[in-house]
C-alpha cells in the first residue's frame, strides 16, 4: 500500500506539471500548440502609391479589437460583416487621399479605397492609418477612432469606392509640434498589409497640444 500511494503521488505531479504549460503549448506527442501570428509591422519603404507597403520594424497601426474612441491603432478591429464575395483584401484595393475640406480650425481629408479586382467585396469598420517619413518610420502616435462613427458594411463592386474621414486640428491654431510626412499608410479593415499613398498636404501634428489625429468608419463613395 505505501508503494501504491507513492505511485499515485508521482502521477499527480506529472499531470500538474503538464496542465499549466498546456495552456501555452501542446502537451504530449502533439508538439507545440498553434496560435494566431503576431501582428506584422506596418511602416514601409518604396515609392509606389496605392500598393502594398513592405513591412518595417518601425511598425504602424495594426488591426486590434477595441471600442471606438479608445487610444488604440485606428484599424479595422470591428466585427466584419461579409457581403458579396467576402471582405476586400489589400491586394484587391488601391488607396488615395482626397482634397482637404477645412473648417472650424480642422483639416479634413477623405481616405479612399477603390476596388481594383474583378469581384465584389466588402469593407467594414475603420482604416488603419500612419504618417511615415521617407525612411518609413512612423511620425506621431496612432490615430484615434472617432467615437461617434458607427461602422456599417460597404459593398464595393469592381471599380467601386468607399471613404473614411481623417481629421486633425490645424497646427497653426493648436500650436502642436509638427512633422511633414512623406506618405500615409492606409490599412484596410481586418487586413495586415497597408497601402502607401504619397502625402502632399504639408505638416501634420505629431505631438504636444491638440495633436491627436482621428479617423472615421468607411462610407460609400469618394468623399462628403
Amino acid at each position: 500500500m505505501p508503494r501504491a500511494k507513492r505511485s499515485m503521488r508521482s502521477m499527480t505531479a506529472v499531470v500538474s506539471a503538464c496542465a499549466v504549460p498546456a495552456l501555452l503549448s501542446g502537451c504530449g506527442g502533439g508538439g507545440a500548440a498553434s496560435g494566431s501570428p503576431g501582428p506584422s509591422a506596418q511602416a514601409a519603404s518604396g515609392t509606389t502609391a496605392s500598393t502594398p507597403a513592405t513591412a518595417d520594424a518601425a511598425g504602424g497601426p495594426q488591426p486590434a479589437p477595441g471600442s471606438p474612441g479608445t487610444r488604440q491603432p485606428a484599424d479595422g478591429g470591428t466585427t466584419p460583416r461579409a457581403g458579396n464575395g467576402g471582405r476586400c483584401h489589400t491586394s484587391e484595393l488601391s488607396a488615395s487621399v482626397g482634397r482637404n475640406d477645412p473648417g472650424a480650425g480642422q483639416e479634413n481629408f477623405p481616405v479612399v479605397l477603390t476596388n481594383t479586382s474583378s469581384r465584389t467585396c466588402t469593407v467594414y469598420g475603420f482604416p488603419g492609418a500612419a504618417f511615415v517619413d521617407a525612411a518609413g518610420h512612423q511620425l506621431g502616435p496612432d490615430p484615434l477612432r472617432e467615437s461617434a462613427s458607427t461602422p456599417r458594411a460597404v459593398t464595393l463592386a469592381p471599380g467601386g469606392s468607399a471613404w473614411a474621414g481623417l481629421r486633425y486640428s490645424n497646427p497653426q491654431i493648436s500650436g502642436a509640434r509638427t512633422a511633414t510626412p512623406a506618405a500615409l499608410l492606409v490599412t484596410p479593415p481586418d487586413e495586415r498589409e497597408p497601402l502607401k499613398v504619397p502625402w502632399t498636404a504639408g505638416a501634420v501634428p505629431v505631438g504636444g497640444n491638440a495633436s491627436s489625429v482621428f479617423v472615421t468608419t468607411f462610407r460609400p463613395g469618394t468623399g462628403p
Side-chain angles (χ1 to χ4, degrees), residues 64-156:
S67 300
T70 57
R71 185 169 289 276
Q72 296 179 357
D75 58 286
T78 53
T79 303
R81 307 280 179 84
N84 275 340
R87 83 167 186 267
C88 299
H89 300 293
T90 300
S91 61
E92 301 172 308
L93 299 166
S94 66
S96 61
V97 176
R99 185 177 59 186
N100 185 18
D101 182 23
Q106 300 286 324
E107 309 302 321
N108 302 287
F109 296 89
V111 176
V112 182
L113 294 181
T114 299
N115 182 4
T116 59
S117 74
S118 59
R119 74 180 184 100
T120 296
C121 60
T122 301
V123 294
Y124 176 90
F126 297 83
F131 292 111
V132 295
D133 61 18
H137 300 141
Q138 183 170 334
L139 301 173
D142 296 326
L144 306 180
R145 297 176 183 178
E146 187 70 67
S147 59
S149 186
T150 302
R152 59 169 169 158
V154 181
T155 299
L156 302 181

Side-chain angles (χ1 to χ4, degrees), residues 123-210:
V123 294
Y124 176 90
F126 297 83
F131 292 111
V132 295
D133 61 18
H137 300 141
Q138 183 170 334
L139 301 173
D142 296 326
L144 306 180
R145 297 176 183 178
E146 187 70 67
S147 59
S149 186
T150 302
R152 59 169 169 158
V154 181
T155 299
L156 302 181
S161 297
W163 70 279
L166 181 148
R167 70 169 178 86
Y168 53 84
S169 296
N170 185 313
Q172 294 181 347
I173 297 174
S174 69
R177 182 168 57 86
T178 65
T180 301
L184 176 70
L185 300 186
V186 180
T187 306
D190 299 295
E191 291 292 298
R192 290 181 179 269
E193 294 301 319
L195 297 161
K196 185 177 182 182
V197 184
W199 183 259
T200 59
V204 301
V206 296
N209 183 44

